[in-house]
Amino acid sequence: MKLENPYPPEFAAAYREAGYWTGQTFPDLLATAVAEHGERTAVVGTDRQKVRQSWTYADLGQRARRVAGGLHALGVRPGDRVVVWLPNAPEYLAVIWGLFTLGALPVFALPAHRESEVRYFVEHAEAVGIVTVTRHDRYDHAETARRISPLVVDVDEGLPDGDPVPVATPDADDVAFLQLSGGTTGLPKLIPRTHDDYLYSVRASADICGLTPDTVFLAALPCAHNFTMSSPGLLGVMHAGGKVVTAPSPDPDTCLRLIGSEGVTMAAVVPPLAAAWVAAAEKQEPDLPSLQVLQVGGAKCGSELAARIGPALGARLQQVFGMAEGLVNYTRLDDPDDVVIHTQGRPISPADEVRVVDEHDREVPAGEVGALLTRGPYTIRGYYRAAEHNATAFTDDGFYRTGDLVRLDEGGNVVVTGRVKEQINRGGEKVAAEEVENHLMAHPSVLDAAIVGVPDEYLGERTHAYVIPRDPEESPAPADLRRFVRERGVAAFKVPDRVEVVDAFPVTGVGKTSRRALRAALADQHREKGTA
Ligand code: OOB
């Protein structure tokens, strides 16, 4: 599959010329890892049958070939899209590498996604099937998947297995997979990433983060998330010949134990998890001599939390400000404490272009806050099948509007100060306001709904829904509305934390023309009421 919005030829040529795009593909990455690190351990973790697995690169390569053969026998062909809806486990790697080996394109769903989301991914990507598990997190994934797609692979019944078929030989500028965006509109967007662009970000990230064959990386957040996958994540570790440890749960008990028992050197978490690990470590004072780096990203890591990480965990903090659309910023391992604690780092690549602009897209004076626009060798030029949205999500000259408010310090480090996009960042989990409003408005007793983010000590932000009933005499109960949203089959993190039924939006001077203005005014009002 080719990009619908390709990089302009002069940019592509420059990225190749500079050595960023090397022509490496996913099958090449695996083949190289098997050739160079065959006998080293690639992945360790508890499998779906609760058995501890430890696979070498050679094992993983063979498994990927058999999974590819098994998928082929089920009718999956090169170029087909397949939704991967799996929790963290060694099988996850066998499945994605099986798909890459076959030349099929994974569409990465989160384990927390539910029926309406997965149905949308299958329909929008025209996926031929879903790979999932029987049950996870008290939810019947496979049963749900069968309502959506005629082809469901339940890895709890065994990985697909078949005689190896030829290893795919995609072009490096082909789309390798579809990743999910946090979303700002009614429906999430799919992000097409190519072999060339993505693997450049992976290799460069592995470099910046100093990965070696001795790296032991704990995958605590969902493997499907861009952070865990590629910043430098499991792909970066595989590129370096290191070891990936899959954590069945991100909770501090599980993870601090795994860090100790598996000799983990590096882990990646969102701020609320970092806080939970720090709190547990401050209490238990575990001995974690192996841990060198804790990466924190996905949402803003406050300075206070940032300063506690080193002392509590005996590890260096690395802040990571990234996005599935592309651009990733890291504080460097040898940066002074001040930079590591107070900034979100700087871009991976010298070819990453960042602009900080005002509401007219004019660059703001150095050091001032503005909206971040970016363009570069691993940032997309358009979402998948979203022409209308692309017209506003990108500038005419191809910069992606990140929706983040930032300022740059003298060293070029980014400090994230806020957001202009219609999204709530609930501890790293992204909630598109409009998507949840649409779910609420589908309720027969709801006339209108508006969702805002309100400060939360643990999550950074949580969601507050204002709802106007059709009939004030028969206003729906908040608990019923929350259940209604959940029963529409959406991820639990999208269910509003609080629902407040009101007669009218308690806003003066804001018409119904701009939902953004409405949400901003509601958020202000909320703060004034002091109900945060
Ligand atoms: C990562 O990717 P996404 O696609 O789930 O979310 C991207 C958005 C950013 O635009 C920004 O709003 C927010 O998440 N964000 C941060 C942040 N890291 C991400 N906001 C403040 N400080 C940070 N450190 O979240 C993601 C992708 C790759 C690596 C790391 C995170």
Side-chain angles (χ1 to χ4, degrees):
M1 186 162 99
K2 295 293 178 200
L3 289 169
E4 304 156 273
N5 303 96
Y7 295 82
E10 64 278 19
F11 283 84
Y15 297 152
R16 288 194 185 98
E17 176 73 13
Y20 303 138
W21 293 1
T22 60
Q24 186 190 32
T25 64
F26 275 81
D28 295 337
L29 189 154
L30 182 60
T32 306
V34 170
E36 290 180 5
H37 307 288
E39 296 316 307
R40 298 191 70 93
T41 305
V43 54
V44 170
T46 309
D47 73 7
R48 294 287 306 166
Q49 311 307 321
K50 304 243 174 346
V51 179
R52 183 180 185 276
Q53 295 288 339
S54 173
W55 302 341
T56 63
Y57 279 93
D59 292 338
L60 181 60
Q62 267 161 17
R63 271 172 212 272
R65 297 288 307 266
R66 299 221 45 104
V67 169
L71 289 165
H72 187 268
L74 291 169
V76 181
R77 293 292 175 269
D80 283 349
R81 274 79 65 200
V82 175
V83 172
V84 175
W85 189 25
L86 292 173
N88 290 5
E91 289 94 328
Y92 180 94
L93 283 127
V95 167
I96 67 164
W97 284 109
L99 287 165
F100 289 135
T101 299
L102 178 59
L105 282 65
V107 182
F108 290 108
L110 294 170
H113 282 132
R114 293 295 176 254
E115 181 162 355
S116 74
E117 289 134 341
V118 176
R119 184 181 297 281
Y120 169 76
F121 304 147
V122 168
E123 285 171 3
H124 192 54
E126 296 180 279
V128 301
I130 304 172
V131 184
T132 191
V133 292
T134 309
R135 197 174 159 78
H136 169 70
D137 209 8
R138 289 173 291 154
Y139 185 75
D140 295 312
H141 282 63
E143 194 184 300
T144 302
R146 288 195 187 93
R147 286 198 294 273
I148 298 172
S149 174
L151 175 61
V152 172
V153 175
D154 179 351
V155 303
D156 289 347
E157 292 169 358
L159 285 168
D161 185 42
D163 288 334
V165 287
V167 176
T169 52
D171 293 336
D173 65 356
D174 283 347
V175 176
F177 62 88
L178 296 169
Q179 178 61 277
L180 299 185
S181 82
T184 53
T185 61
L187 293 169
K189 297 284 169 286
L190 296 179
I191 296 170
R193 301 290 300 260
T194 64
H195 299 266
D196 258 340
D197 92 78
Y198 205 66
L199 294 180
Y200 165 53
S201 77
V202 166
R203 294 186 304 268
S205 294
D207 232 35
I208 288 170
C209 300
L211 303 194
T212 73
D214 294 326
T215 298
V216 181
F217 174 76
L218 183 68
L221 298 172
C223 287
H225 192 267
N226 202 58
F227 188 11
T228 320
M229 189 149 69
S230 66
S231 304
L234 40 104
L235 294 177
V237 173
M238 290 189 59
H239 164 70
K243 179 159 94 179
V244 175
V245 177
T246 60
S249 152
D251 68 72
D253 284 348
T254 305
C255 289
L256 296 184
R257 184 175 46 74
L258 279 172
I259 292 170
S261 65
E262 301 291 351
V264 168
T265 61
M266 175 172 177
V269 292
V270 289
L273 264 183
W277 289 15
V278 163
E282 283 170 350
K283 209 144 105 212
Q284 303 161 11
E285 296 185 19
D287 195 21
L288 305 171
S290 60
L291 190 65
Q292 292 163 9
V293 177
L294 185 70
Q295 298 183 292
V296 181
K300 174 98 175 220
C301 179
S303 309
E304 197 246 350
L305 171 62
R308 282 164 66 201
I309 288 169
L313 294 165
R316 186 97 184 125
L317 165 65
Q318 178 175 52
Q319 295 215 37
V320 187
F321 162 45
M323 53 208 72
E325 287 81 356
L327 182 71
V328 180
N329 303 273
Y330 297 101
T331 57
R332 303 309 198 253
L333 299 179
D334 57 0
D335 275 345
D337 283 354
D338 200 42
V339 168
V340 173
I341 289 176
H342 298 290
T343 85
Q344 280 64 59
R346 49 196 180 278
I348 289 178
S349 175
D352 281 320
E353 301 173 69
V354 299
R355 296 180 58 203
V356 184
V357 301
D358 65 15
E359 59 271 50
H360 307 293
D361 285 355
R362 283 186 302 237
E363 231 147 310
V364 301
E368 287 186 16
V369 171
L372 176 66
L373 310 182
T374 187
R375 184 169 80 171
Y378 59 95
T379 296
I380 57 164
R381 297 294 187 125
Y383 291 99
Y384 179 70
R385 294 189 178 165
E388 201 183 321
H389 184 67
N390 286 339
T392 54
F394 296 83
T395 65
D396 291 342
D397 52 355
F399 280 79
Y400 167 57
R401 297 182 189 279
T402 67
D404 294 310
L405 286 174
V406 304
R407 63 181 169 77
L408 300 182
D409 75 5
E410 290 107 65
N413 294 295
V414 182
V415 177
V416 181
T417 61
R419 206 177 313 126
V420 285
K421 57 188 164 189
E422 313 285 273
Q423 186 186 75
I424 297 137
N425 191 335
R426 201 175 170 281
E429 292 184 307
K430 314 302 181 331
V431 181
E434 186 186 318
E435 183 183 351
V436 182
E437 288 165 359
N438 288 344
H439 283 300
L440 282 165
M441 286 191 281
H443 190 284
S445 326
V446 172
L447 180 66
D448 205 351
I451 304 264
V452 297
V454 300
D456 181 88
E457 202 190 327
Y458 179 63
L459 292 170
E461 276 181 293
R462 62 188 158 79
T463 49
H464 189 106
Y466 290 90
V467 168
I468 303 178
R470 281 187 191 284
D471 178 356
E473 307 292 293
E474 283 175 45
S475 77
D480 291 341
L481 289 174
R482 296 184 72 244
R483 185 174 338 110
F484 177 78
V485 173
R486 192 175 317 112
E487 285 174 356
R488 283 177 60 84
V490 302
F493 64 79
K494 294 184 190 168
V495 176
D497 292 298
R498 267 201 63 194
V499 175
E500 187 175 337
V501 180
V502 293
D503 300 336
F505 291 132
V507 175
T508 47
V510 180
K512 288 292 306 263
T513 43
S514 161
R515 294 202 72 85
R516 168 179 301 185
L518 171 65
R519 291 189 193 106
L522 282 170
D524 283 349
Q525 200 115 15
H526 189 101
R527 273 189 286 276
E528 278 160 27
K529 273 195 307 186
T531 47

